[in-house]
Every structure is written in C-alpha cells, then in structure tokens.
Amino acid sequence: KKAEVNILGGHSIKDDSPKYGLAVTGIIDNNKIVKNNTAKSGDVLILTKPLGTGIITTAIKKGLSNKKSEDEVIKSMLTLNKEACLAINEIGVNACTDITGYGLLGHLNEICSSSDLTAKISLNNIDFLSGVKELAAKGTVPGGTKNNLSFYKKHIKFGDSIKTFYKHMLADAQTAGGLLIALPEQKSKLLLDRLNSNSKYTSKIIGYLSEKSNNNILVSE
C-alpha cells in the first residue's frame, strides 16, 4: 500500500524454504526516466542508505547476529526509495541506480563503465548498518558478496591500507538497498536537504566522478 502497488494473483510451490517473487508490470512516464549511463565528469555521488544487508542476513542465518543488527536490517529493507525518487525527479540528476545484488562497487562500476568515467570514493564517507564491520572482520560474508568482489576488483584500485573485509563491505550484495545518485555539485546541497528532511537515513556525498583513468573506481580511506 505504501508503494502504491497492487499485488494480484499468484501461485504456490511446495518447498522447505519460503519463497516470494514478483513479476512487475506497469506504465512509466518517459519524461521521468533516470538512467545509469548518463553521468557526467564533475558529478558528485550521493548514497541514500547504509550498506550491509547481505552480511547481516547471512549472520542471522548462522545465528551470529544480535537484536540491534536484526532490527536495523529489517528497518532498512522495509524503507522504500519512493521519497528519494520523488526528490531526484523534482530537482533533476544526471544518473541514478539502486544498490542491489551487485553491491555498491558493482553498481557504481556499471555507472562508470557505461558513462566512460572514473569514480573516486572514500570509505570513511560511507555508512554501514550496526555490526557489519565486526561481522565482516570475522569472515561472516555471503558468497554473492565474495563473488562481486572477485568479479569487479579488476576495475578497482583500492588504497593500500584498505583491508579485505572492508572491500567485502563495499561489495556486499544488498536487498532493498538505497540509491546511488550522480548530479552536478551545485545541485547537491539542494538534493541533500530534500533527501535528509524526508528519510530515516542520512544521505551523504561519498565521492565524485572525473574523466576516465586506468580504473573505473578508486577507493581511498
């Protein structure tokens, strides 16, 4: 109801694990499409939600999570991107993608590759859900997240001091993740003010885009 979507029909399957899937159909406004391949050099990058849903849900399955982390990850996955979408359509941005199965690094790499740009992002500017760092440091990392890092690392240059578990945190496969937005710096304050006045989470600038260099993504502390 909150997403203004009607759930119609369905079928059941007999299996040991509950499963839920959707086939989505609808009509879009061609004048409001925001693509992921139209970023511009000089754009700043804004992330609207903290990362870590893959790591925490894996910890839940293994009985390694705590109540605070469980509550946070459920709240995050229940939080729609609807208000953020309304804001970017109103203010206007160059490019946008949601952060889902390929993690922040995978989806950012797609923006960079298709826009022929290089992203420079700072680990210290990125928020994570409670307990993610501790879990990742102990090796509680889903297979999909490890596969993401293995697949995309050839396009990424990490700072020498960034440990492997931090790389996994940045590559973590997300469920219902936030938005990654590229827009001109002069519009960024207006968008951040709008985003942060209508969200449970603090949207932040995590880096910027520049002319293409040898790597798609440069990650510093």
Side-chain angles (χ1 to χ4, degrees):
K1 183 177 179 182
K2 190 181 292 184
E4 298 180 11
V5 172
N6 294 315
I7 306 296
L8 304 173
H11 64 273
S12 301
I13 58 173
K14 185 177 180 180
D15 202 348
D16 292 335
S17 300
K19 293 180 174 63
Y20 181 71
L22 296 172
V24 181
T25 58
I27 299 171
I28 61 171
D29 183 340
N30 288 342
N31 296 316
K32 293 184 178 179
I33 297 173
V34 182
K35 300 178 181 180
N36 66 356
N37 63 347
T38 48
K40 307 295 182 186
S41 179
D43 282 355
V44 296
L45 292 164
I46 292 175
L47 183 63
T48 64
K49 285 170 74 173
L51 304 176
T53 61
I55 289 170
I56 294 178
T57 52
T58 294
I60 292 172
K61 293 172 188 175
K62 295 182 176 182
L64 299 174
S65 60
N66 58 46
K67 183 69 164 53
K68 183 179 181 182
S69 294
E70 291 171 12
D71 289 345
E72 281 196 17
V73 77
I74 292 169
K75 175 184 170 184
S76 175
M77 292 188 293
L78 285 173
T79 301
L80 299 178
N81 289 319
K82 179 181 176 181
E83 290 298 327
C85 289
L86 292 173
I88 65 175
N89 274 323
E90 178 184 315
I91 292 168
V93 303
N94 285 334
C96 181
T97 183
D98 58 341
I99 307 299
T100 52
Y102 298 131
L104 171 65
L105 294 180
H107 291 285
L108 177 55
N109 183 76
E110 191 169 26
I111 287 178
C112 293
S113 178
S114 58
S115 303
D116 198 31
L117 298 170
T118 290
K120 298 179 181 180
I121 62 172
S122 171
L123 175 64
N124 291 331
N125 290 338
I126 298 170
D127 289 337
F128 296 90
L129 296 168
S130 176
V132 170
K133 178 180 176 182
E134 293 75 16
L135 289 165
K138 293 177 182 177
T140 306
V141 177
T145 294
K146 293 177 181 177
N147 290 340
N148 283 343
L149 181 60
S150 177
F151 186 81
Y152 290 110
K153 65 183 180 181
K154 61 181 176 288
H155 302 296
I156 304 166
K157 183 178 181 181
F158 293 96
D160 294 339
S161 62
I162 297 177
K163 297 179 180 179
T164 300
F165 73 86
Y166 280 123
K167 298 176 185 179
H168 282 139
M169 289 163 61
L170 294 173
D172 191 35
Q174 302 298 282
T175 297
L179 301 182
L180 180 62
I181 304 162
L183 80 165
E185 186 174 7
Q186 60 267 30
K187 283 187 173 183
S188 60
K189 185 180 186 304
L190 181 63
L191 181 60
L192 286 170
D193 288 346
R194 171 70 186 276
L195 291 170
N196 291 330
S197 66
N198 291 287
S199 177
K200 302 171 186 176
Y201 302 106
T202 301
S203 295
K204 288 184 177 180
I205 293 175
I206 64 167
Y208 63 94
L209 294 162
S210 60
E211 297 297 328
K212 191 63 173 285
S213 65
N214 293 333
N215 302 97
N216 286 347
I217 303 172
L218 305 174
V219 184
S220 65
E221 281 199 290

